[in-house]
Amino acid sequence: MEGGGRPSAAQAALLAASTALTALLYSVYRQKARVARGLEGARRVRLDGDLRAVLLEAPGRCVPYAVIEGVVRSVKETLSSQFVENCKGVIQRLTLQEHKMVWNRTTHLWNDYEKIIHQRTNTTPFDLVPQEDGASVTVRVMKPLDAAELSLETVYEKFHPSVQSFTDVIGHYISGERPKGIQETEQMLKVGTALTGVGELVLDNATIKLQPPKQGMPYYLSGMDFDSLLQKQESNVRFWKILTVVFGFATCAILFFILRKQYRHHRERRHLKQMQDEFRQAQERLMREMNAEGGETLKNACVICLSNTKSCVFLECGHVCSCSECYQALPEPKRCPICRQAISRVVPLYNS
């Protein structure tokens, strides 16, 4: 605490940072909780012959937030894997990722660093169809790359290590960067994959479409079933809730510490003021008693205790103002109570 009982700059900064972090975590928790509640309240519809009738009865031929499960089927030609034979899909993502070690000048350690240097995603229109063969109803999946969770399967992955000469190694140590290699990855959403779609379900003329919802809710195209997807979101909510509670308790602890320090400082100041008032009242009472006994006694009284007779001569200032007991009680380095000059030696004073 600083003078006057105010919190120090470090304490104030710590309290402000902890409060801001708690507020940020609470905001994220509320957003995650809203998403989980919306997902829990989504309408589950079956991909069967009754789906068109359900949409015809819905306001605007639309279910704002619906859950539907089906199997991926390509509308046009499928995409073929560049590395795996007979691997067909509707979404293909090719990624080149650089791996290297970077020297941290603060911790003096080499840290792993990854950077995507190139990524290309190819798509082709696809539908969700029932798992049973022969069903005529289909749902066209719109804007799949906008999904907050898009389940892609890694079908090919290869790491190409960097070839380095001795001169390269010396240069890397000097520059603080050591390339490890390039990782090549291919991911696909394969034909026949079971998919859970959560979004806006709308009947557009003769086509049933699943598209991103308009209420700000997330769009899902997940390989998990709906119950597992909901459980994952609820676990995410619990994680952010625990973080918010922990940092909230930390903020309350910091605030309690600062308020406790302020209360103790206020109590000490009040106690000191009370002692000063009592001392002043005792001095006034003693002076009245000494005046009643005679002015000569007051004149020779010690200026500190006002009860004993002056018996010390302070040198080099020469003041006679204290008794020997009060001189011994003066704090080090001893100074004259009158002029505050340092006392080099004391000469006893004898009154005859």
Side-chain angles (χ1 to χ4, degrees):
M1 301 293 288
E2 294 179 345
R6 295 186 300 272
S8 64
Q11 291 173 342
L14 181 61
L15 179 61
S18 179
T19 303
L21 184 57
T22 302
L24 177 62
L25 292 174
Y26 179 69
S27 175
V28 175
Y29 159 70
R30 288 194 60 183
Q31 193 270 336
K32 298 291 183 182
R34 183 181 68 85
V35 169
R37 287 195 302 269
L39 189 61
E40 186 177 5
R43 181 177 177 181
R44 302 186 67 169
V45 296
R46 294 180 58 85
L47 188 54
D48 53 20
D50 297 332
L51 179 59
R52 190 178 300 274
V54 170
L55 291 174
L56 287 173
E57 295 175 358
R61 297 184 176 183
C62 170
V63 178
Y65 207 46
V67 181
I68 192 164
E69 298 177 350
V71 176
V72 174
R73 187 182 71 181
S74 177
V75 176
K76 298 180 180 179
E77 294 183 359
T78 58
L79 301 173
S80 300
S81 170
Q82 294 187 4
F83 305 99
V84 182
E85 294 183 0
N86 300 323
C87 183
K88 304 289 185 179
V90 293
I91 299 178
Q92 179 189 48
R93 179 170 292 166
L94 302 170
T95 305
L96 291 178
Q97 191 174 38
E98 179 186 14
H99 292 258
K100 61 183 178 180
M101 304 288 287
V102 178
W103 177 255
N104 191 317
R105 301 183 185 276
T106 304
T107 61
H108 300 285
L109 295 173
W110 289 96
N111 299 327
D112 289 325
Y113 177 78
E114 300 176 357
K115 179 183 177 182
I116 295 178
I117 57 179
H118 179 73
Q119 187 175 78
R120 185 178 80 247
T121 303
N122 302 319
T123 62
T124 187
F126 67 95
D127 293 338
L128 291 181
V129 299
Q131 295 184 358
E132 299 81 6
D133 295 334
S136 59
V137 62
T138 62
V139 175
R140 179 68 49 84
V141 178
M142 311 299 295
K143 300 180 180 180
L145 299 183
D146 291 347
E149 182 172 330
L150 178 61
S151 296
L152 299 179
E153 179 183 350
T154 300
V155 297
Y156 176 81
E157 188 174 21
K158 186 175 182 181
F159 184 76
H160 304 276
S162 299
V163 179
Q164 304 176 16
S165 64
F166 179 75
T167 305
D168 294 334
V169 173
I170 298 299
H172 297 155
Y173 271 95
I174 295 175
S175 63
E177 294 186 359
R178 292 164 47 190
K180 295 172 62 178
I182 302 296
Q183 182 173 350
E184 188 176 15
T185 306
E186 182 182 26
Q187 296 174 298
M188 296 190 72
L189 178 59
K190 295 192 294 186
V191 174
T193 301
L195 207 63
T196 300
V198 184
E200 184 182 60
L201 200 61
V202 60
L203 178 61
D204 185 8
N205 295 328
T207 305
I208 303 175
K209 296 181 179 180
L210 179 68
Q211 58 192 15
K214 297 183 175 63
Q215 299 91 348
M217 297 297 292
Y219 183 35
Y220 294 100
L221 294 173
S222 175
M224 298 185 294
D225 60 84
F226 177 71
D227 293 333
S228 299
L229 181 62
L230 181 59
Q231 185 178 3
K232 178 182 177 181
Q233 297 303 317
E234 291 175 345
S235 300
N236 199 12
V237 171
R238 286 194 295 269
F239 170 76
W240 286 102
K241 183 178 181 179
I242 291 172
L243 277 184
T244 303
V245 171
V246 168
F247 279 90
F249 273 118
T251 303
C252 292
I254 295 172
L255 181 60
F256 173 77
F257 173 78
I258 293 176
L259 293 178
R260 180 172 175 268
K261 286 287 187 180
Q262 288 183 324
Y263 171 73
R264 291 180 60 182
H265 179 81
H266 173 72
R267 187 177 62 182
E268 290 173 359
R269 290 190 60 183
R270 186 174 60 183
H271 181 65
L272 179 60
K273 185 177 182 302
Q274 182 179 358
M275 291 180 60
Q276 289 175 343
D277 293 340
E278 292 176 355
F279 181 73
R280 186 176 63 254
Q281 293 173 4
Q283 281 185 323
E284 293 174 354
R285 184 171 61 253
L286 184 58
M287 290 180 66
R288 288 195 299 268
E289 293 176 357
M290 295 181 69
N291 285 333
E293 294 177 359
E296 188 64 24
T297 304
L298 179 61
K299 180 178 180 181
N300 294 327
C302 171
V303 298
I304 299 176
C305 66
L306 296 178
S307 59
N308 297 330
T309 305
K310 299 174 183 177
S311 59
C312 297
V313 181
F314 297 151
L315 299 178
E316 303 294 332
C317 65
H319 284 117
V320 181
C321 58
S322 171
C323 63
S324 59
E325 289 82 358
C326 291
Y327 164 72
Q328 295 295 334
L330 289 175
E332 297 291 344
K334 298 184 184 298
R335 296 181 179 274
C336 175
I338 303 299
C339 64
R340 307 303 299 163
Q341 183 176 343
I343 301 173
S344 60
R345 59 196 182 96
V346 178
V347 175
L349 178 66
Y350 302 99
N351 296 317
S352 58

